[in-house]
Structure formats: structure tokens, C-alpha cells
Amino acid sequence: MNFRDLEYLIALEELKHFRKAAEKCFVSQPTLSGQIRKLEDELNVQLMERSSRKVIFTQAGLDIVAKAKTILLEARSLKEIAKSHNEPMQGTLHIGLIPTVAPYLLPLIIPTIKKHFPELELYLHENQTHVLLKQLEQGELDCLMLAVLPEMESFQQYKLYDEPLELALAETHRWAKKSSIDLNKLRGEHLLMLEDGHCLRDQAMGFCFAAGAIEDNSFKATSLETLRHMISAENGLTLLPQLAIPANRHQAGIKYIPFKEPVPSREVGLICRRNSVRKVCFEQLSNLISKTVETKLDCY
């Protein structure tokens, strides 16, 4: 038995399909199938029921998969411990980011990170919050950069920045010439929102509903860029985070208007597992990102 066999087993339990599991592990299907058979022989237990259509894990198989995940996570921790003692800002780092942060934050911080920490090799993964949290818990990712939510209290958190939300509307809208606007002005207005699964959707809806705004259920966007195109086509109003807004507040027929106090905003942070041994790395990284973003937000 070796770590690779456990990785095969975990992939198979996740995907319930030998070919897909083999592709994920970058091996041939016969290789993966043969190693799983050897593992069953070594453990003297049937791990799954096989058929031409699906793979059903036995209870013993499920119990062993759960333990295998723990073993692999601890094995990675051993490497991280050695790495953190030798040089905290060297080696690989797998970072997860949400879609409403990644396209706007990464171009700003990647050059700075490479300049200050040239020996740090970054692997970036973009996905929705619930997927990233699961990957972080399972040790597939080292840390996340996302909007901080109350249910993340079980993780170690490093604040990166507070990001104001602004009102986006067509330049032909009656409010287009305003320099700022009161959130309560949205009472009765229909707003376009992101689809379910985006944490920004929930945060924006919280502010808008409190002000008496109404969600336009005729359309739900898959991204902020889709929302931007809808607004430019005079299809309503929406809230966008400030880093997604050009500094001149005007772009392709869209005007961006900041809110008066109290300003709706979100906290973006770096989170990791509480028992992570790379906290020195995360502290230095978060400090650098905070300073870089602060300089950018001061330009608005």
C-alpha cells in the first residue's frame, strides 16, 4: 500500500467511475483498476461493488476512504512543516479564489507577489465558495481569498481589505449624473443579481432588500461581466465591488456611483485551516496584499 493507491481510491469514490478517476489521476484505467484490486487483496476486504454502469462503495470502503483522506492530509502536513521551517516563502502554494474576486484582484497582486516572493510558486483555482471550502478542508488547497462570511469562523482568517459596493447603471439612466447616492433610493427599484451560489449575490441582496429594492427574477447572471453587459444595454441596476470598477467610473455606456454613508461593503480575507503550518507564509502574503489593494482603492 502506498499514498498513490489511496489517491486512486479517493478519486474513484468521488467520481464513481473508473475511467474518470483514472483521468483525474493521470493513469490508465487498467492501472487504476489493478491497484484498487491489489489494495482490496492487501486489506482482505471488498471496497466496492462493480458493474458496467456504476460503482457502489461498501461501508468498509467508505470507512477506508475517510481514513485515507486523513492520512493523505497528514502526509501533506509533514511536507509543509519541513517547508515552513526551511523557508516559509518558498515552494508551491495552491490558492482558491471566488469568481467575483479573482479577475480583479489577481492582476493587481500577482506582479507584486512575484517581485517580493520570487521563490513562491502559485497555483490558482477559481470556483464558488462552497466548493473552495470543501477543497480547503480536504487539503487540496492551502488557502482561499474570498468574501468572509460568518460560517467561516472555524478557519484561521487574515483580513485583506474592505471593499465598497457601488451602483452600476446605464449612462442614460435618470441618476447617471449623480456623484453619490443614498442606498434607500433603491426602494422599489428592480436590481439584477448573480445566480445562486455566489456569496456576493447574498451580500448584495442583503443590502438591497434592507433598502426596499426588488430582485429582477427575469435574469440571473453567471458573472459580473455578464451583469455589466446587461446594464450597458439599459436592462436595470446592479451592485458591483469596487475593484471591478474602472477608476474613471465610466465604461461602455455604464456609470458607477458610490453610495453615501452607510456604504454597503464586503470584507475580503485570506483563510486557511487552523492547524496549517504555513501561517508565517499567509501572514506575510496577506500583509503584502493588504498594502497593495489599499493603494489601489485610494485611487477611487
Side-chain angles (χ1 to χ4, degrees), residues 210-275:
I214 304 167
E215 181 183 7
D216 186 342
N217 288 310
S218 65
F219 177 82
K220 292 183 180 179
T222 57
S223 70
L224 293 185
E225 294 313 303
T226 304
L227 277 180
R228 203 193 303 270
H229 287 299
M230 290 294 289
I231 298 302
S232 68
E234 303 182 10
N235 285 306
L237 310 170
T238 196
L239 268 63
L240 292 180
Q242 202 170 70
L243 284 183
I245 296 172
N248 63 6
R249 304 189 183 284
H250 187 279
Q251 176 188 36
I254 305 174
K255 281 291 297 292
Y256 303 96
I257 303 177
F259 287 99
K260 298 176 181 178
E261 295 290 346
V263 177
S265 66
R266 65 175 179 173
E267 179 185 335
V268 176
L270 183 153
I271 71 170
C272 65
R273 295 178 296 277
R274 285 199 177 274
N275 62 349

Side-chain angles (χ1 to χ4, degrees), residues 162-166 200 203-204 207 239 262-268:
D162 286 316
E163 184 174 27
L165 304 181
E166 296 196 11
L200 180 59
Q203 292 169 318
F207 293 118
L239 268 63
V263 177
S265 66
R266 65 175 179 173
E267 179 185 335
V268 176

Side-chain angles (χ1 to χ4, degrees), residues 10-21:
I10 292 169
L12 186 57
E13 191 277 329
E14 177 186 340
L15 298 171
K16 305 293 192 300
H17 194 284
F18 276 92
R19 178 181 58 79
K20 292 179 181 178

Side-chain angles (χ1 to χ4, degrees), residues 43-57:
L43 297 174
N44 193 30
V45 67
Q46 184 177 352
L47 298 174
M48 67 204 69
E49 300 174 12
R50 298 167 174 84
S51 73
S52 59
R53 293 185 177 181
K54 57 185 176 181
V55 176
I56 302 175
F57 271 66

Side-chain angles (χ1 to χ4, degrees), residues 5-212:
D5 293 340
L6 299 183
E7 290 174 354
Y8 295 159
L9 184 65
I10 292 169
L12 186 57
E13 191 277 329
E14 177 186 340
L15 298 171
K16 305 293 192 300
H17 194 284
F18 276 92
R19 178 181 58 79
K20 292 179 181 178
E23 290 175 353
K24 180 176 181 179
C25 296
F26 302 102
V27 296
S28 67
Q29 183 173 330
T31 296
L32 184 137
S33 181
Q35 291 302 115
I36 296 293
R37 287 283 189 189
K38 289 181 181 180
L39 189 59
E40 286 182 315
D41 292 341
E42 183 175 350
L43 297 174
N44 193 30
V45 67
Q46 184 177 352
L47 298 174
M48 67 204 69
E49 300 174 12
R50 298 167 174 84
S51 73
S52 59
R53 293 185 177 181
K54 57 185 176 181
V55 176
I56 302 175
F57 271 66
T58 63
Q59 187 58 52
L62 293 174
D63 291 344
I64 290 171
V65 166
K67 180 59 71 173
K69 290 179 180 179
T70 301
I71 291 170
L72 290 181
L73 185 58
E74 291 301 320
R76 293 190 189 101
S77 294
L78 291 177
K79 295 180 180 179
E80 288 180 354
I81 290 172
K83 192 185 304 178
S84 67
H85 279 284
N86 292 330
E87 177 50 64
M89 304 311 293
Q90 287 187 3
T92 61
L93 192 65
H94 289 266
I95 304 174
L97 302 101
I98 56 176
T100 60
V101 167
Y104 316 106
L105 178 62
L106 291 178
L108 185 61
I109 65 172
I110 292 300
T112 302
I113 292 174
K114 287 184 176 180
K115 177 182 178 181
H116 287 79
F117 309 123
E119 300 301 318
L120 197 60
E121 187 176 2
L122 303 181
Y123 289 86
L124 307 170
H125 309 262
E126 183 179 308
N127 220 316
Q128 293 187 359
T129 300
H130 68 282
V131 177
L132 295 177
L133 290 174
K134 181 179 179 182
Q135 292 177 317
L136 181 62
E137 289 176 337
Q138 294 178 348
E140 297 176 17
L141 299 175
D142 297 305
C143 66
L144 309 179
M145 295 181 192
L146 38 60
V148 177
L149 301 174
E151 56 264 33
M152 298 175 186
E153 292 179 352
S154 61
F155 296 96
Q156 179 70 42
Q157 300 181 12
Y158 301 90
K159 184 174 180 178
L160 296 179
Y161 55 92
D162 286 316
E163 184 174 27
L165 304 181
E166 296 196 11
L167 183 65
L169 44 76
E171 61 182 3
T172 55
H173 194 278
R174 66 185 187 278
W175 294 340
K177 294 184 178 180
K178 288 182 175 291
S179 59
S180 63
I181 193 167
D182 194 305
L183 187 62
N184 291 324
K185 283 284 187 180
L186 298 182
R187 181 175 301 277
E189 297 288 336
H190 287 74
L191 272 73
L192 296 176
M193 295 288 179
L194 291 168
E195 65 181 359
D196 292 337
H198 293 275
C199 58
L200 180 59
R201 165 188 168 81
D202 298 331
Q203 292 169 318
M205 285 178 63
F207 293 118
C208 294
F209 286 175

